Amino acid sequence: MTTYAFRLPPGPNTVAYAKLAEKLGYESVWCPEIPAFGHDIWITLAQIAEQTSRIGIGAAVLIPSYRHPVAQASAIATVEAIAPGRLRAGFGTGFTGRAGMGKPPLKLADMRQHMEQVRSLLKGEAIDIDGGMAQLLASDGFLPDRPINVPLLFAAQGPKGRQLAHDIADGLISMGSAASGFDTCLVSVNGTVLDDDEDMSTPRVRDAVKPLIALAYHFKYTTDRAGLKSLPNGEAWLASVEQVPEAVRHLSVHRGHTLDVSNGHDQLVDVGNAKEMTFTGTRDELRARLKALEAAGATGFIFGTSGVDVEREMHAYADLVGL
């Protein structure tokens, strides 16, 4: 059975949105770990766990360089204690979270090591971490009994990353595309659902999709700067960025990432290709795209939007899939 979830960046309204998601019938809500952009993920997930009763809770995704494996395992165990059986933890190499600090994504070898260490700790094992033996040593009643069987997923796009997901994870999280061969393949999509009387030129739609389309500009800037020329108005966008001192340029680029266009550059983003670059369209168009992704291996979807009108989008996507 296909599952439908909603992505909620940690912030001042996230818990209220999660309560609405539960009311609307979403299977789960997922929060990314982006500490420079908002609230702490584990505090937010714990608040959601305490203030909801049914909905699944997911981390999508955790970036290993932020936390020691023991701290990571303890956080997972804590939320599992608050909401037994409702938590899933996704891990990723950290495009946004690390690029926003001027760092490259983590290597797959680092991901393998961290996830294997966290899984071993959740099993109750004593393991070597950086030359010292470590273990969850909680006394009775402080954490759930080990083993703690929270599913661990891995976010990956390329073949090597997806092979790693096969090797060590309980499922795959993918951005915009599906992959076969996974019992759990959650596809994350971001966009807006058009009303019957809307087209791509309306102010609401343009405001909703501009921060999402800006992601492509941020990604090209980080991974393929020359490729910015292939994006509409990309040269003007890059020229704006290059007015910022180089040492802090990356901070300027990633400010407001996917939520708004407050960084001073993303107002230049061209939204003309919004249907191709985001999960945006009429209800019929989006249902057809969901069906194609299911045929390609998707077992569930994590819908997301910009920060323009989150409640509106939560209702629209729920209506789209018949929740």
Side-chain angles (χ1 to χ4, degrees):
M1 179 179 177
T2 305
T3 61
Y4 302 104
F6 210 89
R7 181 178 182 271
L8 298 170
N13 299 313
T14 302
V15 176
Y17 292 149
K19 293 166 72 174
L20 174 60
E22 182 170 73
K23 181 179 178 181
L24 291 173
Y26 285 99
E27 181 269 339
S28 56
V29 290
W30 294 76
C31 294
E33 184 173 37
I34 43 175
F37 297 84
H39 290 191
D40 178 81
I41 185 173
W42 286 114
I43 293 174
T44 301
L45 294 181
Q47 290 175 321
I48 292 172
E50 290 176 331
Q51 297 188 44
T52 58
S53 60
R54 172 200 61 79
I55 197 164
I57 302 162
V61 291
L62 302 167
I63 303 172
S65 58
Y66 287 149
R67 298 174 196 267
H68 189 278
V70 173
Q72 195 82 277
S74 174
I76 291 171
T78 300
V79 175
E80 175 65 13
I82 298 170
R86 293 165 57 196
L87 177 64
R88 284 168 286 176
F91 293 80
T93 59
F95 160 57
T96 302
R98 286 180 60 82
M101 300 189 300
K103 300 290 185 180
L106 292 170
K107 296 179 180 179
L108 292 180
D110 298 325
M111 298 302 306
R112 177 185 290 274
Q113 180 183 62
H114 183 85
M115 291 182 67
E116 289 179 340
Q117 289 171 337
V118 169
R119 193 185 292 278
S120 294
L121 291 166
L122 292 172
K123 289 180 179 178
E125 298 172 358
I127 60 170
D128 184 294
I129 300 178
D130 299 329
M133 296 303 292
Q135 188 176 24
L136 290 182
L137 300 173
S139 298
D140 289 347
F142 276 75
L143 290 177
D145 293 339
R146 270 69 76 201
I148 298 168
N149 296 313
V150 171
L152 306 184
L153 288 75
F154 185 54
Q157 296 298 106
K160 292 182 179 179
R162 289 181 174 180
Q163 183 59 54
L164 182 62
H166 270 295
D167 293 345
I168 66 170
D170 299 307
L172 175 73
I173 300 173
S174 179
M175 179 63 73
S177 63
S180 60
F182 291 92
D183 291 338
T184 299
C185 174
L186 303 180
V187 178
S188 180
V189 292
N190 300 301
T192 185
V193 181
L194 300 182
D195 288 331
D196 292 339
D197 59 348
E198 285 186 312
D199 60 37
M200 302 306 299
S201 67
T202 62
R204 186 204 71 79
V205 174
R206 296 175 68 84
D207 289 345
V209 300
K210 183 168 279 193
L212 303 175
I213 294 175
L215 172 62
Y217 293 69
H218 301 178
F219 185 77
K220 284 288 187 184
Y221 179 81
T222 304
T223 63
D224 176 24
R225 206 157 297 177
L228 279 165
K229 295 180 180 179
S230 68
L231 297 177
N233 219 30
E235 290 191 60
W237 183 91
L238 179 60
S240 176
V241 170
E242 290 177 340
Q243 298 302 308
V244 179
E246 187 171 1
V248 293
R249 203 170 282 168
H250 61 281
L251 303 178
S252 174
V253 167
H254 293 281
R255 186 181 304 277
H257 185 75
T258 74
L259 293 177
D260 56 51
V261 290
S262 61
N263 66 8
H265 319 297
D266 289 345
Q267 290 286 355
L268 296 169
V269 165
D270 190 305
V271 302
N273 294 327
K275 284 190 176 183
E276 292 75 24
M277 297 178 71
T278 69
F279 193 73
T280 294
T282 66
R283 283 163 171 76
D284 286 344
E285 289 171 337
L286 296 184
R287 288 185 186 113
R289 290 175 67 175
L290 292 174
K291 186 175 181 179
L293 288 166
E294 287 184 64
T299 65
F301 298 94
I302 305 173
F303 298 120
T305 186
S306 64
V308 174
D309 191 347
V310 177
E311 288 191 22
R312 186 263 178 203
E313 303 296 353
M314 293 178 73
H315 280 278
Y317 279 116
D319 178 69
L320 172 73
V321 297
L323 296 181

